[in-house]
């Protein structure tokens, strides 16, 4: 019998769920569902409950829609819902760092430390100094996830930040190495956009770029999972055409997305200049909109449309694609080291 594991990317406007089947140390993605909150859902939810309660209700509705229960599950929270702090200490002993950490965090945070839960990763920087990478999540949000899973007989294996999970997937992947001193992991998805700056294999900064892409997609989509077909049509949409054949509202959505991508390209270029990007640095681009931008060595820009690989975007919806994972325990820990086999769809 296959061991089933769920992974949910839990953003307010866009929720993606992946069902993994683990057998003989091999990992198969057997279901990949993307859900967007319709406008009428937003209007209705706005009358009842706080933002966190609305968010929890959407996650619960998504889980019920897929009838996911009785298995282990991991959640990836958007970077904007997680507080990131990096603290330095004049000693290396882990016990000392852990004892001093609460006092340092109280000085760093605006709110009450008791209202958050945090995890810490400690690394030595010099012979007598260490650095603590701290991720803080609101306790109320964690309690809401626990209640959702308790009601559905789901076992929470891990709650992580999407940006930190992307960093860990690189650091703990034995098949890849960071060849340069600085690595920039750029993510542009339907839910959020951020840049991880990795310096000497340590996560130096998570920079979030709030944008309108989730809002644009939320207005366009119903709760149906039509993202793959939409991306294929978007990749085929020619530049300079305001009234292409087809749905006029969809054409307007395409134009808005291109403008938002151009804006993001400008922001990403500025950020890399601020971080003193050099030719020795390395760039990796992730997310469903990642293939639609390019780096020419000086700046980011949106690629000319239509994209030659437009047909490949539809393959995202093909079921039973085989993926190879490191081990069952790796998946349970939420550190997924997965490589795609014989699939032409963009990352």
């Amino acid at each position: 019998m296959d061991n089933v594991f769920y992974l949910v990317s839990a953003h307010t406007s866009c929720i993606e769920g992946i069902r993994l089947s683990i057998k003989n140390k091999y990992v198969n993605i057997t279901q990949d569902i993307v859900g967007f909150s319709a406008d009428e859902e937003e209007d209705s939810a706005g009358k009842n409950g706080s933002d966190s309660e609305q968010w929890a209700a959407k996650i619960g509705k998504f889980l019920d829609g897929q009838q996911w229960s009785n298995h282990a599950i991991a959640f990836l929270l958007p970077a904007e819902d997680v507080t990131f702090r990096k603290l330095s200490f004049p000693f290396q002993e882990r016990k000392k760092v852990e004892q001093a950490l609460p006092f340092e965090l109280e000085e760093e945070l605006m709110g009450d430390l008791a209202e958050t839960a945090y995890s810490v990763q400690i690394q030595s920087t010099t012979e007598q100094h260490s650095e603590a990478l701290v991720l803080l999540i609101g306790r109320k949000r964690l309690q809401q996830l626990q209640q959702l899973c308790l009601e559905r007989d789901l076992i929470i294996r891990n709650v992580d930040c999407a940006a930190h999970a992307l960093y860990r997937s690189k650091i703990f992947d034995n098949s890849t190495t960071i060849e340069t001193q600085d690595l920039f992991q750029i993510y542009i998805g339907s839910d959020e956009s951020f840049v991880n700056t990795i310096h000497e294999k340590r996560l130096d900064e998570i920079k979030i770029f709030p944008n309108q892409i989730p809002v644009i997609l939320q207005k366009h989509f119903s709760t149906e999972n039509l993202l793959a077909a939409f991306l294929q049509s978007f990749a085929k949409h020619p530049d300079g055409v305001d009234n292409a054949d087809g749905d006029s509202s969809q054409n307007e959505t395409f134009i808005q997305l291109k403008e938002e991508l151009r804006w993001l390209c400008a922001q990403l270029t500025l950020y890399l200049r601020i971080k003193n990007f050099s030719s020795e640095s390395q760039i990796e681009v992730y997310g469903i909109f990642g293939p639609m931008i390019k780096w020419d060595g000086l700046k980011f820009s949106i690629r000319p449309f239509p994209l030659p690989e437009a047909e490949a975007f539809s393959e995202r919806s093909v079921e039973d694609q085989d993926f190879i994972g490191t081990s069952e325990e790796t998946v349970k820990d939420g550190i997924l080291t997965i490589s795609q086999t014989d699939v032409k769809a963009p990352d």
Side-chain angles (χ1 to χ4, degrees):
M1 181 178 178
D2 294 354
N3 185 12
V4 174
F5 183 86
Y6 303 126
L7 178 64
V8 175
S9 177
H11 192 276
T12 302
S13 59
C14 173
I15 303 171
E16 180 171 7
I18 296 176
R19 182 181 187 272
L20 300 168
S21 177
I22 310 165
K23 186 176 183 179
N24 298 328
K25 297 185 179 181
Y26 287 91
V27 180
N28 299 315
I29 292 182
T30 56
Q31 191 178 23
D32 184 358
I33 302 294
V34 180
F36 293 87
S37 300
D39 289 338
E40 57 268 21
E41 287 185 69
E42 289 292 312
D43 295 339
S44 175
K47 300 176 182 178
N48 301 299
S50 62
D51 290 343
S52 63
E53 290 170 341
Q54 294 172 36
W55 172 82
K58 293 175 184 177
I59 302 298
K61 184 175 181 181
F62 180 87
L63 295 174
D64 292 339
Q66 316 315 317
Q67 297 183 343
W68 284 356
S69 61
N70 301 313
H71 292 291
I73 189 169
F75 291 95
L76 291 179
L77 301 182
E80 63 184 13
D81 289 346
V82 179
T83 302
F84 169 86
R85 289 292 184 271
K86 187 173 60 175
L87 304 173
S88 297
F89 296 91
F91 40 78
Q92 288 189 344
E93 294 87 342
R94 183 178 183 87
K95 187 175 182 179
K96 286 186 177 180
V97 172
E98 292 175 343
Q99 288 174 343
L101 197 57
F103 302 100
E104 294 294 329
L105 287 174
E106 287 180 349
E107 296 293 328
E108 288 277 334
L109 301 177
M110 296 287 291
D112 187 354
L113 181 60
E115 296 179 356
T116 66
Y118 63 85
S119 64
V120 59
Q121 179 181 344
I122 303 171
Q123 293 180 320
S124 300
T125 54
T126 64
E127 290 184 0
Q128 296 182 352
H129 291 75
S130 62
E131 184 178 86
L133 175 68
V134 188
L135 299 178
L136 301 101
I137 302 174
R139 288 191 181 276
K140 183 176 181 181
R141 183 139 298 191
L142 291 177
Q143 291 168 355
Q144 288 172 324
L145 290 177
Q146 291 170 346
Q147 184 62 34
L148 287 171
C149 293
L150 180 63
E151 294 169 353
R152 293 161 180 80
D153 294 323
L154 291 167
I155 302 172
I156 298 181
R157 293 293 187 188
N158 191 32
V159 178
D160 201 354
C161 167
H164 187 241
L166 182 59
Y167 159 72
R168 290 193 296 116
S169 70
K170 184 72 176 181
I171 294 300
F172 293 104
D173 186 354
N174 295 326
S175 65
T176 63
T177 58
I178 300 177
E179 300 175 354
T180 59
Q181 193 175 47
D182 292 325
L183 167 64
F184 297 92
Q185 292 180 313
I186 297 172
Y187 176 85
I188 305 177
S190 58
D191 48 359
E192 62 178 336
S193 297
F194 59 80
V195 177
N196 286 341
T197 300
I198 302 174
H199 179 69
E200 296 180 348
K201 297 186 178 182
R202 297 196 304 270
L203 184 57
D204 183 66
E205 184 180 9
I206 300 174
K207 176 65 175 179
I208 304 170
F209 293 90
N211 61 86
Q212 295 298 306
I213 289 178
V215 177
I216 295 170
L217 294 177
Q218 189 177 13
K219 290 180 179 179
H220 177 81
F221 280 99
S222 66
T223 56
E224 297 177 359
N225 187 39
L226 303 174
L227 185 58
F230 174 85
L231 288 174
Q232 185 184 39
S233 298
F234 178 45
K236 292 179 178 179
H237 185 263
D239 291 328
V241 178
D242 294 341
N243 296 301
D245 294 337
D247 189 341
S248 59
S249 64
Q250 181 170 271
N251 290 330
E252 178 63 26
T253 300
F254 291 163
I255 294 169
Q256 292 175 0
L257 285 174
K258 288 182 181 180
E259 288 300 315
E260 203 65 18
L261 287 172
R262 290 188 182 95
W263 178 85
L264 273 173
C265 284
Q267 299 302 309
L268 293 171
T269 300
L270 178 61
Y271 178 71
L272 261 62
R273 289 175 180 172
I274 293 173
K275 300 296 289 186
N276 296 320
F277 176 86
S278 66
S279 58
E280 289 77 26
S281 302
Q282 185 179 351
I283 295 176
E284 294 179 350
V285 183
Y286 300 85
I288 60 173
F289 292 102
M292 300 175 189
I293 68 171
K294 63 179 181 180
W295 170 257
D296 63 7
L298 295 175
K299 63 182 178 66
F300 282 100
S301 61
I302 187 172
R303 293 175 58 196
F305 281 64
L307 301 180
E309 71 273 24
E311 295 295 333
F313 282 89
S314 65
E315 298 189 23
R316 188 177 191 276
S317 61
V318 177
E319 293 187 359
D320 296 328
Q321 297 173 350
D322 290 335
F323 287 73
I324 300 175
T326 54
S327 69
E328 179 178 338
E329 290 302 317
T330 299
V331 175
K332 284 184 177 180
D333 290 340
I335 304 174
L336 298 181
T337 307
I338 303 174
S339 59
Q340 198 166 351
T341 59
D342 195 28
V343 180
K344 295 180 290 183
D347 185 356

